[in-house]
Amino acid sequence: MARLGGATTAGARSGAAQPDDRTGARAGAAVDAVPPAQRSQRPVWRDPRLWIGVVLVAASVVAGARLFASADDTVQVWTAGSDLGAGQRLDPGDLVAQRVRFADAAALGDYFTVDDELPADSEVTRVVGAGELLPRSAVGAASSSGLVEVPIAVDAELVPPGVGPGDTVDVYLVAPLDGGGGAQPSAPAAAAGPALAGVSVVAAPAAASSFGTSGKRQLVLAVPEAEAPGFFAQLAQYDLPTFTVVRRG
């Protein structure tokens, strides 16, 4: 019995010394469940990249606000789309809207804005160059401008091809020639100066649409009303007057 008991005791001791597989599994799982050590992270608000982004966003907002503020200072006004000559009827189709910033707000009142109603039956009283702002002082009623429209027929080779509305020209009256190339005896001597000086071209159709096969080109000129009688008196002295047109620079 003692031996048996001893064996039993030894067996018990031996059994006690052997590790339990389940206990080892639990210990391994516990070790695996422990998270790895991590370094402490710097707070986000201390990251310099954050502040650089904030500065860039703020700068863009300020720049955009200034841009919109400066855009609000501009006003749309009418400008001449092409040269407008004195005596030319004012047509909205000849005008172009353009945004302009006036350093002096009071100066805006001297020009036509797109919100202004253009005077009806009005004409330009002086030359307004292409791209120039349309001043109120250069627009008047057609009946009060003191200008009349005078048409003349000019040989195509005696007028610069680029002459058009808004140009300022001088018109010379040339004595007609006889068959031999000299002046006709009955024709008076041509005046030394221009018959019309510094007049504006109101209309200048192309030669093909003016007089067809005649080879002449029509020009419509704005002539001061007081000078028109003298011009027609000169024309009456010639049977076939010839004009030469000189464009001023």
Side-chain angles (χ1 to χ4, degrees):
M1 293 296 294
R3 184 179 300 173
L4 178 61
T8 303
T9 303
R13 289 176 182 175
S14 175
Q18 294 177 356
D20 190 350
D21 293 339
R22 290 178 296 177
T23 303
R26 291 195 198 99
V31 172
D32 294 340
V34 176
Q38 296 182 354
R39 297 181 179 179
S40 60
Q41 295 183 351
R42 185 167 46 185
V44 176
W45 61 269
R46 297 183 63 182
D47 190 343
R49 293 174 295 181
L50 171 65
W51 295 109
I52 293 175
V54 171
V55 171
L56 292 177
V57 172
S60 63
V61 171
V62 173
R66 289 184 177 180
L67 179 62
F68 282 112
S70 62
D72 291 339
D73 294 339
T74 61
V75 181
Q76 279 193 312
V77 297
W78 289 120
T79 63
S82 58
D83 292 337
L84 303 178
Q88 183 174 345
R89 291 299 180 97
L90 186 60
D91 186 347
D94 297 329
L95 304 177
V96 177
Q98 182 175 345
R99 283 196 170 276
V100 179
R101 182 181 298 105
F102 289 88
D104 184 4
L108 176 61
D110 297 334
Y111 301 93
F112 286 100
T113 69
V114 295
D115 296 327
D116 295 329
E117 184 176 357
L118 296 175
D121 193 25
S122 57
E123 64 183 25
V124 181
T125 58
R126 68 167 179 81
V127 175
V128 179
E132 181 181 348
L133 303 185
L134 181 64
R136 295 179 181 272
S137 59
V139 177
S143 59
S144 62
S145 64
L147 300 171
V148 294
E149 294 184 359
V150 175
I152 60 174
V154 188
D155 292 329
E157 65 272 14
L158 296 180
V159 55
V163 167
D167 287 336
T168 301
V169 299
D170 295 333
V171 178
Y172 289 85
L173 191 57
V174 182
L177 303 178
D178 59 16
Q184 295 181 2
S186 59
L196 294 173
V199 294
S200 297
V201 178
V202 177
S209 59
S210 297
F211 291 96
T213 58
S214 67
K216 292 184 178 294
R217 185 180 178 190
Q218 183 190 48
L219 297 181
V220 181
L221 309 175
V223 179
E225 189 173 3
E227 297 181 14
F231 175 69
F232 291 122
Q234 291 187 57
L235 294 184
Q237 300 180 47
Y238 298 91
D239 294 331
L240 296 173
T242 302
F243 302 106
T244 297
V245 176
V246 178
R247 178 172 56 185
R248 292 191 178 185

